Amino acid sequence: MKYAEFVKAGEMKIVDKTMPKIEKDDDVIIQVLRTCVCGSDLWAYKGLEEQGHENDGHEIIGIVEEIGKDITTVKKGDFVIAPFTHGCGHCRACLAGFDGVCMNHDLSENFSAGYQAKYVRFQHAQWSLVKVPGKPEDYTEGMLKSFLALADVMATGYHAARVANVQPGDSVIVLGDGAVGLSAIIAAKLRGAKQIVSTSRHADRESLAREFGATDNVAERDEEGVQNLIAITRGGADAVLECVGSKLSNEEALQVGRPGAIVGRVGLPHGAELNPGLIFYKNMSVAGGPASVTTYDKKVLLKAVLDGKINPGKVFTKTYSLDQINEAYQDMADRKVIKSCIKVSDC
């Protein structure tokens, strides 16, 4: 089968790989319909990491092809969203709504990897897979893209808003204008924020941010940007959603929140050390980590998509075939697209 493999910085290629098989009783084999490229995949592709991490490609929607003997929640032929996390649903962490860091699974088994492929083996599937009503052909391509967003970025954006305790009437600053940042804007609006400030320097992304619910935009960076964000939120935001993961973004998050604000941190950290003194003397809280994808999809997000309340699939601004995987990565790296959708199979 076709499988996307990281070769070196700037190069992904398609190789032939053996079809995955059921290895454990709670495994499910999924035929992939759509996958995509994540911003975290680009760190290695851009040469910002020494080698490709094994998490390249971790977001899919597809059809259940085969199930292990312990699986009772899905069956062959079911249409599913496969979250990038694989929580058990019954440990203390999962019950508290933190299935992204399930206590019963090692991190190596709790995160998807190598999912830019024709078929995948999804581990610990009994609770973590999310069934979509009906069949893929029942939905438009736009809806399929929104379901795909629920495999990671929409849930990750929602996680930022949830751990930052965004409440109705709050002012919120979102740092990052990629798919996660844009999804965080959707989440902040969904949770009732009154003021949502985006931070884009690109007209297409700012336009989409405003469509999703941003009320203001601050494009400036460094000290000017910090001061403008503080001014526009009248002394700092109630919640800051950090959706980049860089050192500069994390530092800015601490500066632009009001005293007592909460930073929801979901950007994959890269050298992002925090200043404990600044946190202490501003009485700020910092929370976040891997998103609770299954929890949010089942409780909030899937219904919101089905009801037409949110449309996160709009973050996918171009579609590619699996054979075009390198182009899909390069276009994202060059910021020609917000997020690349990969059409693997027809519905």
Side-chain angles (χ1 to χ4, degrees), residues 270-309:
H270 285 77
E273 297 178 1
L274 300 180
N275 182 340
L278 182 58
I279 296 170
F280 182 83
Y281 286 108
K282 288 187 73 174
N283 264 296
M284 295 183 78
S285 300
V286 178
S292 311
V293 184
T294 302
T295 293
Y296 302 148
D297 284 359
K298 289 182 175 180
K299 290 188 175 182
V300 180
L301 299 178
L302 179 57
K303 185 177 188 302
V305 167
L306 291 171
D307 290 348
K309 196 170 184 178

Side-chain angles (χ1 to χ4, degrees), residues 1-5 13-19 117-118:
M1 69 167 189
K2 290 182 178 180
Y3 176 89
E5 182 174 85
K13 70 175 183 180
I14 298 299
V15 299
D16 186 43
K17 192 171 182 178
T18 304
M19 277 272 297
K118 294 280 284 184

Side-chain angles (χ1 to χ4, degrees), residues 7 52 62 85 149 160 181 187 199 204 231 237 263 269 321:
V7 180
T85 52
T199 52
D204 59 335
V263 174
S321 69

Side-chain angles (χ1 to χ4, degrees), residues 43-342:
W43 287 94
Y45 187 81
K46 290 179 177 180
L48 301 175
E49 293 177 345
E50 291 185 2
Q51 60 185 18
H53 54 75
E54 294 182 355
N55 207 33
D56 287 333
H58 50 266
E59 306 154 83
I60 65 168
I61 57 173
I63 302 295
V64 173
E65 180 74 14
E66 187 180 355
I67 63 173
K69 68 177 185 179
D70 287 350
I71 301 296
T72 62
T73 53
V74 296
K75 64 183 184 303
K76 180 179 173 62
D78 280 349
F79 178 29
V80 294
I81 298 164
F84 82 94
T85 52
H86 301 233
C88 70
H90 54 78
C91 71
R92 288 164 56 212
C94 287
L95 290 173
F98 291 96
D99 49 275
V101 284
C102 176
M103 296 170 71
N104 281 334
H105 304 149
D106 293 336
L107 288 181
S108 62
E109 293 185 345
N110 201 52
F111 298 146
S112 300
Y115 278 17
Q116 291 160 352
K118 294 280 284 184
Y119 292 86
V120 302
R121 168 181 167 247
F122 189 91
Q123 300 185 74
H124 307 305
Q126 174 70 0
W127 178 79
S128 54
L129 281 179
V130 179
K131 284 179 61 174
V132 180
K135 301 295 182 183
E137 53 268 29
D138 298 333
Y139 299 100
T140 64
E141 185 64 27
M143 284 290 280
L144 294 179
K145 288 178 178 177
S146 283
F147 296 144
L148 179 58
L150 300 193
D152 181 352
V153 289
M154 185 60 239
T156 296
Y158 192 86
H159 192 57
R162 177 236 176 159
V163 297
N165 197 32
V166 173
Q167 295 293 310
D170 276 356
S171 62
V172 177
I173 291 171
V174 179
L175 300 179
D177 65 353
V180 172
L182 290 165
S183 297
I185 290 169
I186 295 175
K189 182 179 180 181
L190 197 59
R191 292 176 64 91
K194 183 177 181 180
Q195 181 185 35
I196 305 171
V197 185
S198 59
T199 52
S200 183
R201 293 180 289 182
H202 302 267
D204 59 335
R205 295 171 188 241
E206 181 186 346
S207 176
L208 191 54
R210 290 187 181 275
E211 181 180 341
F212 283 166
T215 56
D216 306 277
N217 185 76
V218 171
E220 296 78 17
R221 295 294 187 266
D222 303 319
E223 184 59 26
E224 181 184 6
V226 168
Q227 293 307 315
N228 288 347
L229 286 168
I230 291 172
I232 205 169
T233 53
R234 304 170 306 283
D238 300 309
V240 183
L241 312 187
E242 195 288 306
C243 303
V244 181
S246 70
K247 183 175 186 293
L248 289 176
S249 182
N250 276 268
E251 289 175 348
E252 186 170 322
L254 297 180
Q255 293 175 290
V256 299
R258 63 159 170 77
I262 305 176
V263 174
R265 187 187 189 199
V266 296
L268 184 65
H270 285 77
E273 297 178 1
L274 300 180
N275 182 340
L278 182 58
I279 296 170
F280 182 83
Y281 286 108
K282 288 187 73 174
N283 264 296
M284 295 183 78
S285 300
V286 178
S292 311
V293 184
T294 302
T295 293
Y296 302 148
D297 284 359
K298 289 182 175 180
K299 290 188 175 182
V300 180
L301 299 178
L302 179 57
K303 185 177 188 302
V305 167
L306 291 171
D307 290 348
K309 196 170 184 178
I310 63 173
N311 189 3
K314 288 190 174 184
V315 301
F316 296 104
T317 51
K318 188 172 180 180
T319 300
Y320 306 79
S321 69
L322 192 55
D323 289 329
Q324 296 173 305
I325 191 67
N326 196 70
E327 182 183 350
Y329 269 72
Q330 191 62 57
D331 284 354
M332 267 188 73
D334 292 340
R335 297 180 77 86
K336 292 180 180 179
V337 300
I338 297 174
K339 190 169 176 68
S340 298
C341 178
I342 313 296

